Amino acid sequence: MDFCKLVLVLAFIGLSCGTETKSPCQGCKDLVDGILKGLDQTKNKNFEGGDTARLVEVLESACDKDNFRCNEIAAEREDDIETWYKTMQDSKSLQEFLCVEKAEVCCLEGKFGENCEESCPANENGDICFGNGKCEGSGDKQGSGTCVCEGAYAGDLCNECGPRHFKGFGNDTYTMCTPCANGCETCLSANDTDCLTCAAGYRVEKASEPAEKKEAEKKDAEKKEGEEGEAAAVEEEEKPLTVSCTDVNECVEQSDLCPVGEYCANTEGSYSCEPWKCSPICTRCYGPTNRHCFECIQGAIMRAPFICQGSECSSAAVANKMFNCATGNANPSPLLLTSS
């Protein structure tokens, strides 16, 4: 392995001033991935020097040149790598042997912290982050151990529902989050009248229970006698007010949203700027009709600022509805009937 050691030492010296952007554990995992990939790529090759020559070739390309941590561990642990390669490939994973036991830079999966004594958050069944996310830094001594939730889930354990979702079902080990109706930021159900708050681009259309009705119901509850009546009143007061949400048409309510040459197209919860398709009577325009022209085609006349009209507008074609002067477009040809 002397030649292999020389290769690794030279690589390490060349990178000793590199930026340490990865944790030692991640560098070791990168090394393991590189070795396993190299072994797979060389499994059908013949080497004159046997297994040692094969391992040398694998190690030469196991780490990227700018991966300081990977090259550092490779230079320090070449003997351990050779031991695993010759005697332990079928009995123990390289990551556990090299990174956890020998280099001692990683923990077993699900553990983190300086002494690998901290456990990633999990439910009673042992599902990390309720099965709805990943534990950041799991298996890394420098890991934070916090849950990074996926999709619709949120919370420290990923057992709560994120924006635009509500809890359809939940217990101590499982949470099912279901999408709210379109336009709801928070909601009680998938019904479009059960929004609690509206998402960006939407506004409250109406409350599902008018204030007058709620006030009347509250007074009725106050009239009830005994503990049952008091409990009913408390329940009514605590019941959240739900609303319906409607799309805001930004194109109507705001101006100058789009640059010249584009028009505002309303979309659900937002808007987009689309390129104009000029009227056939315009060569340049800022809108789709003949009233949005910067220049007219040859033969047409700018009869007013930005309004192009052709000779058709003063001809019998207008009377026969063959040309629409409001848009500058030809109308579809009518079916002409001739008498016999």
Side-chain angles (χ1 to χ4, degrees), residues 108-242:
L108 294 175
E109 284 301 312
K111 296 288 186 178
F112 68 96
E114 183 178 357
N115 298 314
C116 299
E117 296 176 349
E118 302 292 331
S119 297
C120 289
N123 60 19
E124 295 178 358
N125 291 340
D127 300 321
I128 292 177
C129 302
F130 263 66
N132 301 321
K134 295 181 179 180
C135 178
E136 189 174 56
S138 175
D140 196 327
K141 289 190 173 185
Q142 295 183 5
S144 66
T146 57
C147 286
V148 180
C149 303
E150 300 173 346
Y153 298 91
D156 293 340
L157 293 174
C158 298
N159 62 339
E160 300 173 11
C161 297
R164 305 192 182 192
H165 290 81
F166 69 96
K167 185 178 290 188
F169 175 80
N171 56 29
D172 292 339
T173 59
Y174 178 74
T175 298
M176 180 179 70
C177 293
T178 304
C180 296
N182 199 25
C184 301
E185 180 70 14
T186 56
C187 66
L188 296 179
S189 76
N191 196 321
D192 60 6
T193 61
D194 275 346
C195 301
L196 294 174
T197 58
C198 296
Y202 295 82
R203 69 160 64 93
V204 174
E205 180 179 27
K206 63 179 180 179
S208 60
E209 294 182 13
E212 297 82 358
K213 180 180 178 182
K214 289 182 65 68
E215 186 64 27
E217 291 177 351
K218 182 177 179 181
K219 289 181 179 180
D220 290 341
E222 290 174 349
K223 292 179 181 179
K224 295 181 180 180
E225 297 179 356
E227 295 181 358
E228 183 178 350
E230 293 178 2
V234 171
E235 181 179 354
E236 183 65 25
E237 289 178 357
E238 293 179 350
K239 182 180 178 181
L241 178 65
T242 57

Side-chain angles (χ1 to χ4, degrees), residues 249-252 254-277 286-287:
N249 191 336
E250 295 87 353
C251 299
V252 172
Q254 301 179 49
S255 60
D256 301 325
L257 291 175
C258 298
V260 173
E262 296 183 353
Y263 72 94
C264 181
N266 189 52
T267 60
E268 284 290 329
S270 186
Y271 68 93
S272 63
C273 293
E274 304 291 342
W276 286 115
K277 182 178 180 181
Y286 68 98

Side-chain angles (χ1 to χ4, degrees), residues 18-40:
T19 303
E20 300 179 18
T21 58
K22 294 188 176 184
S23 69
C25 179
Q26 186 56 57
C28 190
K29 289 181 177 180
D30 292 342
L31 173 60
V32 168
D33 290 342
I35 292 173
L36 296 180
K37 180 180 178 181
L39 291 176
D40 182 66

